[in-house]
Amino acid sequence: MSEKKYVLALDQGTTSSRAILYGNDGAPVASAQKEFRQHFPQPGWVEHDANEIWATQHEVMLGAIAKADAKPDEIAAIGITNQRETTVVWDRATGKPIANAIVWQDRRTAGLCDQLKAQGKAALIQQKTGLVLDAYFSGTKLKWLLDTVPGARKRAENGELAFGTIDAWLIWNLTSGKVHATDPSNASRSLLFNIHSNSWDDELLALLDIPRAVLPEVRPSSGAFGEALIDGVAVPIAGDAGDQQAALFGQACHSPGMAKNTYGTGCFLLLNTGSQAVTSTNNLLTTTAWQLASPLSLEGRGAGGEGGGRCAVNVHGAPSSPSPPEPVGDKRVAPPPPGGRGISYALEGSVFIGGAVVQWLRDGLRAIKTAADVEALAAEVPDSGGVYLVPAFAGLGAPHWDPYARGAMFGLTRGSGITHIARAALESIAFQSAEMLAAMEKDAGLKLTELRVDGGATANNLLMQIQADLLGVPVVRPKVLETTALGAAYLAGLAVGFWKDASDIQRNWQVDRIFEPTLSRERAGEMMAGWAKAVERSKRWAN
């Protein structure tokens, strides 16, 4: 048998599917990526073809392996990370979806959420799930599919249909239908999962009229999810986490008090709160970050690798004793922890439109030819000239949670040009992230001293400088920007012993650049006040 040289990460995103092979040093060896179609059947509706998602993911998986000239038996494990909340329902017998997947951005169930709020159910849902009651999450999307697709509800009750977020859909296909499973980080985004008991909740299932027979099994994020056959070789699937939780793990934010912001289609700011599920009073989400066989050995030490540990706080509980691994084939994969041990939680703020505003400049306004062109265009002016762009194309996420808000521009004058709009677009990403961080600091009772960042948009130096200026703290960009896939790889690699423990991961994390704030706090406050005024005027537009 060949030496295990790689871990394969499958990163299924909102606009593309990607596969990356990583070596033991955490550096990418080879990757492949392919975009797929977005479907907008009605205003506020967003759909994907789940078959196309699987086809593109399978294609890039084989492509990355071929690029590296790697042999399947050199791959120690597969880790999966995925766009969260996007909902698929498929036939267990045929493996065919009963309808297009409903994407996390989709707002069609906003009215249902309003009804549940009017019934006084929001507090119950937040207490059990850590979530606000919003169309963003997968539970109401699942209910809509069961209520709308002819015969779906009856078939679901009879056990003929399977529900899953994209990770479960990929696992099902990779294992040829042998495994129907997800992990707590994805399950916790469903409005159906009790994050305190780490299980599907009967009261929530009854509230949304969801039959238990349709649900996937929930397994630890770092553990056994079956095997994928690649050219006849069985490779264990040993890691699974929603994209933002995976990025938190990949950024080596393993200690309570450490935070990261991912700049992708949306922006997602997560703060590790350790073994405590901290309830938000500022419209943030409490979510399961991951579940391991035992707590990471560095949890609570405030160590974060190079440059890390400056924002650790004591919000974690006593460590649990580790569980011995159990054999799976010829691999050793950690078993589920008894009594729910090994679970870490996070506070999260979600921005629906982050980097997607640059795509809008490119595809909607045709102001730029490529997304990378926005930096040079925005840099032609020293500021936005008083222009504010609120990219509420799919409503507003944290901390506003207004599904009826819509995109708007304010402050336009005859002197305003496309350069100011481009600058305002970049600023909108930073403004939304700054809002979330302020809310998070209030909830956690701390002041962060740095923010770790990742995602494709962090390659934009101007955006990162704007972000540091608004926050007033250093923005730290690592050498490996795509930490979402890396986090999935780490979760899988830890399960099979490719990496021994958290210290291996900490050593791999390295700083590329630190952006220090240069703007006065007075000027930053003025800019934030202008943003708040613009946001307020964009709210409730579609209501």
Side-chain angles (χ1 to χ4, degrees):
M1 181 172 290
S2 299
E3 176 192 357
K4 302 302 180 186
K5 298 179 181 178
Y6 313 107
V7 171
L8 173 64
L10 304 183
D11 182 1
Q12 205 301 299
T14 307
T15 59
S16 68
S17 298
R18 179 170 48 181
I20 305 177
L21 274 176
Y22 290 97
N24 193 261
D25 61 355
V29 176
S31 66
Q33 184 169 355
K34 187 167 185 176
E35 291 191 1
F36 55 87
R37 290 169 293 175
Q38 310 292 303
H39 301 272
F40 308 99
Q42 294 185 33
W45 290 29
V46 190
E47 296 180 353
H48 291 157
D49 179 344
N51 284 323
E52 187 180 6
I53 285 178
W54 164 239
T56 55
Q57 190 66 74
H58 186 258
E59 179 182 337
V60 297
M61 176 180 75
L62 298 180
I65 294 170
K67 275 188 182 180
D69 196 24
K71 299 180 179 65
D73 61 1
E74 293 175 330
I75 301 172
I78 296 170
I80 294 173
T81 185
N82 56 289
Q83 51 165 317
R84 302 171 304 172
E85 298 95 16
T86 295
T87 301
V88 189
V89 177
W90 65 94
D91 186 300
R92 289 184 184 273
T94 66
K96 293 181 179 179
I98 65 169
N100 273 348
I102 302 180
V103 180
W104 58 273
Q105 298 162 316
D106 189 282
R107 311 307 296 167
R108 75 185 66 182
T109 60
L112 170 59
C113 293
D114 289 343
Q115 292 174 25
L116 291 169
K117 288 175 187 174
Q119 295 168 16
K121 302 300 183 182
L124 170 72
I125 288 172
Q126 184 186 31
Q127 186 274 319
K128 291 193 172 197
T129 70
L131 307 177
V132 299
L133 181 48
D134 189 81
Y136 175 31
F137 304 106
S138 53
T140 58
K141 304 181 198 299
L142 172 56
K143 175 176 170 54
W144 189 94
L145 285 168
L146 296 182
D147 288 343
T148 305
V149 177
R153 179 166 295 284
K154 185 64 175 176
R155 296 177 65 203
E157 290 169 352
N158 292 340
E160 299 172 22
L161 300 183
F163 150 73
T165 41
I166 296 298
D167 61 315
W169 170 243
L170 294 181
I171 290 167
W172 175 276
N173 282 283
L174 286 166
T175 63
S176 300
K178 293 183 180 69
V179 178
H180 181 212
T182 187
D183 90 302
S185 73
N186 280 292
S188 70
R189 314 293 295 190
S190 65
L191 299 175
L192 307 172
F193 188 77
N194 189 318
I195 61 173
H196 308 288
S197 65
N198 199 45
S199 61
W200 301 114
D201 189 281
D202 287 329
E203 187 176 8
L204 297 175
L205 294 176
L207 182 64
L208 289 178
D209 198 15
I210 303 298
R212 184 175 280 272
V214 80
L215 300 174
E217 179 186 354
V218 181
R219 302 184 180 185
S221 314
S222 182
F225 291 91
E227 294 178 326
L229 278 180
I230 304 176
D231 291 338
V233 177
V235 181
I237 305 166
D240 178 25
D243 51 12
Q244 303 315 317
Q245 292 97 324
L248 187 70
F249 199 83
Q251 278 276 36
C253 290
H254 303 150
S255 301
M258 300 186 73
K260 70 87 197 173
N261 195 20
T262 295
Y263 298 76
T265 302
C267 287
F268 301 89
L269 180 62
L270 270 73
L271 171 73
N272 185 332
T273 63
S275 59
Q276 285 189 15
V278 176
T279 300
S280 174
T281 58
N282 290 281
N283 288 326
L284 298 179
L285 309 178
T286 306
T287 195
T288 303
W290 50 72
Q291 182 183 13
L292 309 177
S294 61
L296 288 173
S297 59
L298 295 186
E299 177 173 309
R301 283 175 48 186
E306 182 180 342
R310 294 194 289 162
C311 49
V313 293
N314 184 23
V315 294
H316 64 289
S320 305
S321 58
S323 303
E326 63 182 12
V328 177
D330 64 343
K331 311 296 187 298
R332 292 180 69 78
V333 180
R341 292 181 300 185
I343 298 174
S344 290
Y345 297 95
L347 279 171
E348 175 178 331
S350 308
V351 166
F352 297 152
I353 301 295
V357 72
V358 177
Q359 292 176 321
W360 176 72
L361 286 178
R362 181 192 68 190
D363 303 334
L365 294 189
R366 299 183 182 178
I368 51 178
K369 289 185 177 179
T370 70
D373 294 339
V374 70
E375 182 172 7
L377 185 63
E380 290 183 23
V381 288
D383 54 51
S384 67
V387 175
Y388 287 88
L389 168 57
V390 183
F393 305 141
L396 288 170
H400 306 286
W401 296 107
D402 183 352
Y404 304 108
R406 289 296 179 264
M409 266 194 285
F410 300 97
L412 292 170
T413 67
R414 281 294 301 271
S416 303
I418 194 62
T419 52
H420 298 97
I421 293 172
R423 183 95 181 194
L426 288 186
E427 288 181 352
S428 76
I429 303 172
F431 279 133
Q432 292 177 97
S433 298
E435 273 188 317
M436 291 193 302
L437 184 61
M440 196 166 283
E441 288 177 331
K442 290 178 184 175
D443 276 337
L446 59 90
K447 175 68 176 174
L448 293 183
T449 55
E450 71 173 28
L451 179 66
R452 294 186 176 187
V453 297
D454 55 70
T458 58
N460 188 314
N461 291 330
L462 178 58
L463 171 60
M464 293 297 96
Q465 188 58 56
I466 293 171
Q467 189 70 85
D469 286 342
L470 289 177
L471 295 179
V473 300
V475 168
V476 183
R477 183 172 68 193
K479 288 186 176 179
V480 177
L481 292 182
E482 301 301 344
T483 55
T484 298
L486 182 58
Y490 281 147
L491 287 167
L494 283 171
V496 299
F498 189 76
W499 289 289
K500 296 293 186 292
D501 53 34
S503 61
D504 283 353
I505 298 172
Q506 306 284 7
R507 282 191 293 269
N508 288 343
W509 191 86
Q510 296 179 20
V511 171
D512 169 59
R513 180 170 171 182
I514 299 177
F515 296 85
E516 297 285 352
T518 59
L519 199 65
S520 73
R521 302 319 302 144
E522 181 182 9
R523 176 57 186 149
E526 292 171 354
M527 293 173 67
M528 289 299 300
W531 168 256
K533 185 164 68 170
V535 168
E536 196 57 35
R537 294 183 180 183
S538 76
K539 288 183 176 179
R540 299 172 295 280
W541 182 263
N543 192 12

